[in-house]
Amino acid sequence: MSNDLEDRLAVQDVMLQYASTVDEKDYEGYRALFAKDVVVVGMGESDIHGIDEYYPWWKEAIDKYANTQHMLSPTLAKIEGDKAYTRTDVQALHFFPGDSETTLILWGTYKTDMTRANGEWKISRHELVARKEKVLFQMKHF
């Protein structure tokens, strides 16, 4: 059971690092979370195959925001040997450069599969299921 607990903590840490690297714009840290042959679903018009295709797309998308904050639920994980299947709810706030009143909010779920290689968990499939489409609304600051 201790191995299962260690694996659960390790895959949860991958998701926490995911959120942290996005919000800190730690580009290399973010890229390092993924397997070379990752498949990304639900983030573009079509599925994205491989980190070399996904990373430039992601970097261009995240650089449109001045700041972001990704808040994650605890990660539900099913571990099967060197494979992990996870579900993590997300609420993400996106702030635009030069606009202190508009916030883009995303509610969704990450369905993330991971593979352990050389003792390290890597994201092998990453899917965003939007629960509510990206919504823009005005927030008045007091």
Side-chain angles (χ1 to χ4, degrees):
M1 182 149 171
S2 66
N3 286 340
D4 185 55
L5 180 58
E6 290 173 11
D7 288 337
R8 287 177 180 279
L9 290 171
V11 298
Q12 182 169 314
D13 279 354
V14 170
M15 294 309 298
L16 293 172
Q17 289 171 5
Y18 176 96
S20 175
T21 57
V22 171
D23 295 340
E24 297 297 325
K25 292 191 177 184
D26 174 3
Y27 301 115
E28 292 309 310
Y30 182 83
R31 184 181 177 118
L33 297 172
F34 294 87
K36 281 185 74 169
D37 60 350
V38 66
V39 175
V40 179
V41 178
M43 293 201 196
E45 292 181 22
S46 60
D47 296 355
I48 303 170
H49 296 269
I51 192 63
D52 291 337
E53 182 180 339
Y54 173 61
Y55 177 78
W57 177 91
W58 169 81
K59 186 177 180 309
E60 182 179 337
I62 203 66
D63 281 346
K64 292 177 183 173
Y65 304 107
N67 293 296
T68 61
Q69 183 182 37
H70 288 71
M71 296 167 283
L72 304 180
S73 71
T75 298
L76 177 64
K78 180 178 180 183
I79 310 294
E80 295 178 354
D82 289 334
K83 301 281 184 188
Y85 306 93
T86 72
R87 178 190 191 282
T88 309
D89 291 319
V90 58
Q91 179 179 325
L93 306 173
H94 300 75
F95 305 97
F96 295 94
D99 183 349
S100 63
E101 293 187 0
T102 305
T103 303
L104 180 112
I105 301 178
L106 169 70
W107 290 273
T109 300
Y110 292 128
K111 292 183 176 181
T112 306
D113 299 345
M114 298 182 206
T115 303
R116 181 177 20 216
N118 300 318
E120 189 174 9
W121 289 100
K122 297 285 185 178
I123 298 171
S124 55
R125 183 179 187 282
H126 188 54
E127 179 178 0
L128 172 63
V129 178
R131 299 293 176 202
K132 183 158 182 133
E133 291 300 317
K134 297 175 182 175
V135 177
L136 289 173
F137 64 88
Q138 299 292 314
M139 297 182 69
K140 295 293 182 189
H141 299 279
F142 297 98

